[in-house]
Every structure is written in C-alpha cells, then in structure tokens.
Amino acid sequence: MEEIEVVVGTYNCTIHGFAIDFVNPEAKGLRPKFHAQDHTGCVRTAATGRYYMASGSTDESIRLYDMRTHREIGTLLHHEGAINWLVFFNSTHLFSASDDRTICIWECGTWDCIHQLMGHKAPVTCFAVHPSGKLGLSVSLDKTLRAWNLMTGAISFTQKLGQVAQLVQWNQTGDQYAVAFEKTIAIYEAAGGSVVFNILVDKRISCILYLQDNVLAVGSDNPFIQLFSTEEGKCLCKLEGHSSRVKALAMAPGGLLLFSASSDGCVKCWRLDEDWNKVTCISTVETGARLMCLTVVSPESLCSELQTEEQGASEEQGASGEQGAPGERGHLEEQGALKRMEQPQCVRIMKQLKKKVAGSESRRLTISSLKKLRKRRRKLAKPSEG
C-alpha cells in the first residue's frame, strides 16, 4: 500500500516521521514511522526531493536522510550561521538560506556546494525557486527582496521593501509570487513586478503555501488556517482545529491532502475539496513536542509517475518546437540538472521585474551627473591664479 510520510522538526532538536495511506488516508490515519535526534539545535526547516530529506538547524548544519531506509546519509557544514530555509528543485539541487547572509546551491548525490549566492547584508530568511529553475527570489532581514539568475548565479535586481519580509513563494505556474511580512502578504504579478493587492492578517504570519495558482493558505499566530483568493484578496474559508498557532504547511502531490503543524504539538491532515467550505480534517496525531517545520515525502512510485509525466510533457514541447534557444545553458544547466523552459518567458519576467527599480536607479544617476557637471562648471568659472 502506498504511503505518504510526513516529517516534522521540533524546537527540541528532534525529527518525527509519520505515515498515512495515500489512497485511503482515513483508513488508519497518521501513525508513527520513525524518530531521529541528530541535531544539537532547534530544527527550523525541512525539505524533501524525491527520497532525499534535508533538515536545517540553529546548530548551523544540514542533515541528509535517505527516506527509503530512514537513515542519515551525511551532514553539510558549509554555512556559518543558523539554517533558516531549505528547498529542493527537481531532486537535483538543494538550496539553503542562512543567517550568514548567503544562499548555497548543493548538487544532490555528490552534495557538493556548486555555488554560493552572496549579496544580502543580513540573515536570509527565505528562498523560492521559480518552477523553471532559472530564477530565484530571496528575502532577508536587510528589508530587501533579491531576484537571482540561477543560470549565471548573478543578482538580477534588488528591491527595497521598507520592512522585514519573512517568507516568499511562487505559485505553481510562476506567474505570481507572494511576500509575507509580519501581518501583511503582498501578492506580486511576476510579469510586471507590481503588487496586485495586499492580504491583511490580524496576527503574525508564520507560514504560507499556494494550494492552487490563485489560492493561498496562510498559517499565523491564530489557531486556524486561512485560505485566501489571490485574485480577489478575500478569505475563502478558515480551517479550524488547532488550539495554538499554526507553524508549518505542506501539501501532498495531486493537491488532495494538506498537512499542518502547530505549536500545540499536533499534526493534522486535511482533505481538500473544490468547494473550500467542504475541507475537512481527517486525521490528527499528537507529538508531545513544540513543532517548528513540516515536509512531505511522497511514495517513490508516485514520484516516478510524476517524473515520467514531466519528461513526456517536455518531449511533447520539443516535438512542437517550444524549446529554449540552444547555447544558452548556464552554470547549473551544464550539470544537466535544471528543467528547461521557454527562454523568452524567463527573460521577459526578469526584464520586467527590473523595471520596478530602474526608475529610481536612473534618477540617482541623473542627480549624480548633475552634481559633477555643476562642480566642473564652478571650477572652470574660477579665475586662474597668477
């Protein structure tokens, strides 16, 4: 029977794994699967890429696990600060954001740090990879959002936010992204880099997750999950059941099951429905721990099916001529790892995002040029000595 495994990290340095049937989750519900205590600090973040699972901690280390055997396979020690965020791309690369103000790119399998993104002036709180794998967004305590060209490892642009952003996430198609502040979520249109509207939450936001291209789930210091429409900005429904703040959210492949972790020590499984008012909690498990993060490990056979579908889709695109221009592979694509997308779309997104800050940059250049010109004129106007 196919199982989904749900992994949670805790404030007490431990990792707990639970299993639930994928086909019939109501049958047995969430049940304990494994337990590990390899970190020496709070486990802040966890992520999965096929059968790999990575956890990041305040002990400045990233622990790697093979979920087929539930055994640790190694430790990554490149960062010099707490690990704040981990995210896999296509199970070929792992991205890690840290208090040391950098983002590391790791090659899965060899686990070499093949590139380090530097530029932030304060701890990096979150990193999100565009579905194409060619563009990344990061937010930091330096109150900026930075866009990264992952083909070259260079900064595409920097946007001053005016306040600290804790989270950033793309939607599934990559035409929209959300930036979460303390009690506000700004929804951006990727094509223009402009804010479509702001979602207001009455308490501090702790996690966000796109359930669909236009539906965003939000966890906060409230004991419930809120689902918002990113087209209208209104709250679609509230998922009630936790007794304390919701710390983390994750969704199973196929978009049928949502998992939540709370400071009340509970992990809940929710069955999603096209009618958001019919979403129901189908299983709850008590961990007895203070939960910090959550990730979902899919059945290996399901991952294989999804990968086959993606390969078939890419082959269809190749047959119809919808491929990126040859010779434009960057540092990561030369590794044969990142999925290709239509080059014009990616280039268009980056160019249009740059327009957001281009105006202020040009004004600074104009002012600087005028100052230099006036200084030169004053110097020429002075009578020569002697």
Side-chain angles (χ1 to χ4, degrees):
M1 183 176 292
E2 298 292 356
E3 291 182 339
I4 294 176
E5 292 188 17
V6 182
V7 181
V8 292
T10 74
Y11 184 81
N12 310 98
C13 319
T14 58
I15 294 172
H16 301 269
F18 302 91
I20 189 168
D21 296 340
F22 181 71
V23 178
N24 188 13
E26 293 94 342
K28 298 180 180 178
L30 289 161
R31 51 195 182 278
K33 185 76 173 185
F34 74 97
H35 171 87
Q37 190 167 359
D38 298 311
H39 285 289
T40 58
C42 162
V43 183
R44 284 186 176 178
T45 178
T48 54
R50 202 174 183 184
Y51 52 77
Y52 294 124
M53 195 277 285
S55 59
S57 167
T58 55
D59 64 11
E60 305 183 1
S61 73
I62 301 170
R63 300 280 179 165
L64 302 171
Y65 299 84
D66 185 331
M67 297 306 293
R68 294 170 297 183
T69 60
H70 301 102
R71 292 182 180 178
E72 184 185 4
I73 58 174
T75 305
L76 307 179
L77 299 170
H78 190 83
H79 285 292
E80 296 180 356
I83 313 301
N84 296 322
W85 199 261
L86 295 170
V87 60
F88 278 91
F89 178 78
N90 276 7
S91 71
T92 59
H93 291 87
L94 170 67
F95 295 80
S96 57
S98 169
D99 273 356
D100 65 8
R101 303 176 293 179
T102 69
I103 300 142
C104 286
I105 305 175
W106 309 86
E107 186 178 49
C108 297
T110 64
W111 302 111
D112 293 328
C113 180
I114 58 176
H115 199 77
Q116 193 169 23
L117 305 178
M118 296 182 286
H120 280 293
K121 299 178 181 178
V124 184
T125 56
C126 190
F127 185 80
V129 186
H130 189 270
S132 69
K134 296 184 179 181
L135 183 66
L137 295 175
S138 61
V139 291
S140 162
L141 296 185
D142 63 11
K143 301 180 182 180
T144 66
L145 178 144
R146 293 178 187 259
W148 305 86
N149 184 338
L150 298 181
M151 296 176 69
T152 63
I155 297 175
S156 294
F157 79 94
T158 301
Q159 180 181 349
K160 293 182 179 179
L161 299 173
Q163 57 181 317
V164 173
Q166 296 290 345
L167 302 164
V168 60
Q169 189 178 44
W170 292 98
N171 68 354
Q172 283 88 337
T173 55
D175 60 3
Q176 183 184 98
Y177 60 93
V179 178
F181 303 96
E182 184 177 8
K183 295 181 180 180
T184 307
I185 302 170
I187 305 298
Y188 287 81
E189 181 185 18
S194 57
V195 178
V196 179
F197 51 77
N198 291 308
I199 295 173
L200 301 179
V201 180
D202 61 345
K203 292 190 177 181
R204 185 179 57 181
I205 298 164
S206 53
C207 55
I208 58 175
L209 177 69
Y210 272 100
L211 303 183
Q212 294 179 1
D213 276 338
N214 58 357
V215 178
L216 185 72
V218 179
S220 65
D221 283 356
N222 287 310
F224 51 78
I225 304 162
Q226 292 172 279
L227 305 188
F228 289 92
S229 166
T230 61
E231 291 181 340
E232 303 173 358
K234 68 178 183 180
C235 182
L236 300 174
C237 69
K238 294 180 181 179
L239 308 183
E240 299 179 337
H242 286 292
S243 60
S244 185
R245 57 188 174 182
V246 179
K247 292 290 292 182
L249 297 168
M251 187 167 58
L256 298 177
L257 299 177
L258 173 68
F259 298 92
S260 59
S262 168
S263 294
D264 61 13
C266 291
V267 178
K268 289 184 177 291
C269 176
W270 308 81
R271 180 177 285 283
L272 301 179
D273 193 278
E274 293 181 0
D275 182 350
W276 297 111
N277 291 312
K278 294 183 179 179
V279 176
T280 55
C281 179
I282 59 175
S283 181
T284 301
V285 64
E286 290 269 0
T287 66
R290 181 178 167 185
L291 305 182
M292 301 295 294
C293 59
L294 178 150
T295 189
V296 174
V297 185
S298 305
E300 188 175 352
S301 61
L302 179 61
C303 292
S304 300
E305 287 180 15
L306 294 174
Q307 189 174 24
T308 301
E309 289 176 5
E310 289 176 356
Q311 290 174 352
S314 63
E315 288 174 2
E316 287 177 6
Q317 288 182 355
S320 60
E322 296 178 357
Q323 293 182 350
E328 294 183 346
R329 294 186 179 182
H331 176 69
L332 293 181
E333 283 201 341
E334 287 176 354
Q335 306 287 332
L338 294 190
K339 183 175 64 178
R340 298 183 62 80
M341 69 173 288
E342 293 182 26
Q343 183 66 14
Q345 180 189 353
C346 192
V347 172
R348 183 172 66 253
I349 288 173
M350 287 190 285
K351 284 183 177 179
Q352 290 177 332
L353 285 173
K354 288 180 183 179
K355 290 180 182 178
K356 183 75 176 176
V357 294
S360 58
E361 293 290 340
S362 62
R363 286 194 293 273
R364 285 199 293 271
L365 288 172
T366 303
I367 293 170
S368 178
S369 301
L370 284 172
K371 286 182 179 179
K372 289 181 181 179
L373 182 60
R374 288 170 183 168
K375 186 176 180 181
R376 186 177 180 185
R377 284 179 176 174
R378 284 196 298 268
K379 187 175 181 181
L380 291 173
K382 288 182 180 179
S384 57
E385 296 181 2

